[in-house]
Amino acid sequence: HWDYDNGLALMHLDDAARLFRVEGPTGVQLRLKDVQAARRVADELGATFLVLPIEDAFERELEATKTMLAGVEPTEITRQNVQARIRGQRMWNWANTSGALFLQTGNMSEKSLGYTTVGGDLEGALTSGERLLVLAPHPDDEVLAAGGLMGRVAREGGEVRVVYLTSGDAFDLAAGSPLPSPKALRRLALRRMVEARRGLEALGLPQESALFLGFPDQGLYPLFTTHYYLPYESPYTGLKAVAYPGCHRPGLPYTGKALEALLVEVLRSFRPTRILLPSPLDAHRDHQATAYFGMRAAALLGLEDRLLYYIVHGGYQYPLPKGLHPRLPLYPPPRGRGLPWQRFPLSEEEVRRKERAVRAHKSQMRLLSRFLLAFVRENELYSPLPVPAREALAAEEEGWAVLPERGEVF
């Protein structure tokens, strides 16, 4: 289908034969000026320009799907995928018969979500082989950043694993008082682990999707720096090693070396196709350290191209407005300025599931409900880059980068 990327691809092919624009009945409406621009590019290059409607085929497929579902209306994601598969089939039919080369274009953000392959953009980005691993510094970060994405991967036959680096055992007010005892904070950790499992269940994920590592809340940054090999003692719980029941490796010392080795072990065992982790630009130190540990572990296994980043603590009261606004979009955070953001749209049902998952974190909702519910929006946001590629950004551009030597739009 026509977009700016298709224009770039066509302009870089001297022997381009055709430029197809297949009209879709749902989602984005093509503006007249876009059609005219596409036709002008084709004319200038001497390429054939065709408009091939898919409305009839789309309606027939929807009716057949409704019949199989005993009259139930197909979901929005089903409608989008029906449209995509009709486009894909037609383009393959043309390529197979004509013997021509079929090019699928896209940008780096789309690539990170699987949208730049023929089997991705044209046949649906998420597949039954998807293996999504989410790194969460604390219980609740996973649902705030990726509740919709995790639920969709699971419903479409993929596998999700959420790795909680800490159990959130340093949030004093959540433990019931401004100066809680170490014992009270340890009880809080166990409560937050239960809440995390309930949140995942609200998204349709099994309890075994959760993997608790049990390292110290508010202590991940020291583990990455001053306590990489020297054991760290939590000033909140008094613990020096992983101690909570249900954690993956009880008894491991609170050192960065132990945490990094454990992450490498988890990545190697789970074999993720996609890794979601905090951005190092997040304002919270635990989130920054999770980013560093995650990037190092992935790099050691050659998995850097599978990383996607999210921001929870985005600066300047992010996200605004506070409170529950499920029909509003989630915009990029101030601390993520200059990053290429991928917008992941959610259906109404996915938004409702995400809200239930957020509310499952009752210890946090009691104090931070307006902040937590502000992430329940019509989309989620991910970036394929940890930091802006400043050398590739024009001053007037925000969220996009153009590499002039290759003409690729990121």
Side-chain angles (χ1 to χ4, degrees):
H1 60 284
W2 168 259
D3 57 21
Y4 185 62
D5 295 325
N6 295 100
L8 288 176
L10 188 58
M11 284 184 281
H12 282 79
L13 284 176
D14 295 333
D15 58 347
R18 296 183 187 275
L19 174 63
F20 280 85
R21 163 61 191 165
V22 183
E23 291 186 335
T26 65
V28 179
Q29 296 295 321
L30 188 66
R31 295 174 299 180
L32 178 60
K33 67 177 184 179
D34 292 332
V35 177
Q36 293 171 340
R39 190 181 298 277
R40 285 198 299 271
V41 171
D43 289 344
E44 290 174 4
L45 295 173
T48 302
F49 179 80
L50 300 176
V51 176
L52 305 176
I54 64 171
E55 181 76 30
D56 291 345
F58 176 78
E59 294 298 336
R60 286 195 302 271
E61 193 58 39
L62 277 191
E63 285 302 315
T65 304
K66 285 176 62 177
T67 299
M68 296 173 67
L69 294 170
V72 176
E73 286 289 338
T75 63
E76 178 59 30
I77 187 61
T78 301
R79 295 171 65 88
Q80 293 175 19
N81 282 334
V82 167
Q83 181 185 182
R85 286 161 185 154
I86 293 172
R87 290 200 307 264
Q89 190 60 59
R90 287 195 179 177
M91 294 301 290
W92 276 123
N93 293 344
W94 165 74
N96 289 342
T97 302
S98 66
L101 177 64
F102 176 20
L103 295 181
Q104 169 62 21
T105 62
N107 56 49
M108 181 179 255
S109 313
E110 293 167 336
K111 174 186 175 184
S112 66
L113 286 178
Y115 282 108
T116 55
T117 63
V118 174
D121 186 39
L122 295 179
E123 302 293 342
L126 302 179
T127 71
S128 59
E130 183 80 21
R131 298 176 63 82
L132 173 65
L133 187 138
V134 181
L135 295 183
H138 319 97
D140 75 9
D141 289 319
E142 76 290 355
V143 294
L144 300 183
L149 174 60
M150 292 190 298
R152 188 179 302 179
V153 169
R155 286 191 297 279
E156 297 193 355
E159 188 172 351
V160 178
R161 183 67 45 83
V162 183
V163 180
Y164 299 94
L165 275 70
T166 83
S167 295
D169 55 8
F171 193 177
D172 48 8
L173 294 179
S177 70
L179 296 172
S181 66
K183 186 176 180 180
L185 287 167
R186 295 179 194 180
R187 286 198 302 267
L188 174 64
L190 298 177
R191 179 180 179 182
R192 295 192 69 178
M193 291 165 70
V194 171
E195 292 173 348
R197 292 190 181 97
R198 289 174 178 170
L200 296 182
E201 287 177 350
L203 297 173
L205 276 64
Q207 287 199 4
E208 53 266 29
S209 300
L211 188 68
F212 298 98
L213 303 189
F215 284 82
D217 186 7
Q218 300 287 354
L220 297 183
Y221 199 83
L223 296 193
F224 189 77
T225 54
T226 56
H227 288 75
Y228 185 77
Y229 65 89
L230 295 174
Y232 173 83
E233 179 177 354
S234 169
Y236 300 94
T237 65
L239 296 175
K240 297 181 179 179
V242 177
Y244 301 122
C247 284
H248 187 55
R249 288 283 189 274
L252 278 184
Y254 281 173
T255 66
K257 182 178 180 180
L259 174 53
E260 183 176 301
L262 189 53
L263 286 176
V264 170
E265 174 192 319
V266 170
L267 289 175
R268 183 180 288 120
S269 172
F270 184 66
R271 295 175 290 108
T273 58
R274 195 180 327 196
I275 304 167
L276 193 60
L277 71 167
S279 167
L281 300 181
D282 194 292
H284 197 298
R285 284 290 201 181
D286 278 346
H287 286 240
Q288 295 170 15
T290 300
Y292 303 149
F293 278 118
M295 288 190 290
R296 281 179 57 88
L300 287 171
L301 298 175
L303 303 178
E304 302 97 314
D305 61 341
R306 304 183 188 186
L307 297 174
L308 273 182
Y309 301 88
Y310 65 84
I311 291 181
V312 171
H313 306 279
Y316 192 64
Q317 298 297 312
Y318 179 82
L320 290 173
K322 290 291 187 290
L324 181 62
H325 302 282
R327 295 186 178 181
L328 290 182
L330 182 66
Y331 294 104
R335 293 184 68 93
R337 180 183 176 88
L339 289 174
W341 288 102
Q342 171 69 49
R343 185 178 185 274
F344 187 76
L346 307 181
S347 68
E348 290 184 4
E349 178 58 29
E350 287 171 333
V351 173
R352 286 192 290 269
R353 287 174 181 263
K354 180 169 181 173
E355 181 185 348
R356 290 196 293 271
V358 170
R359 292 187 183 278
H361 293 265
K362 293 182 179 180
S363 64
Q364 310 307 294
M365 284 290 294
R366 185 170 63 86
L367 300 167
L368 302 170
S369 61
R370 288 176 54 77
F371 170 70
L372 301 180
L373 291 174
F375 286 90
V376 181
R377 300 289 177 89
E378 66 177 17
N379 65 283
E380 294 168 342
L381 291 171
Y382 310 112
S383 173
L385 295 180
V387 294
R390 298 189 184 281
E391 69 280 3
L393 282 173
E396 69 277 6
E397 292 175 327
E398 185 173 338
W400 296 95
V402 180
L403 297 185
E405 68 272 16
R406 294 183 60 190
E408 294 180 356
V409 180
F410 285 1

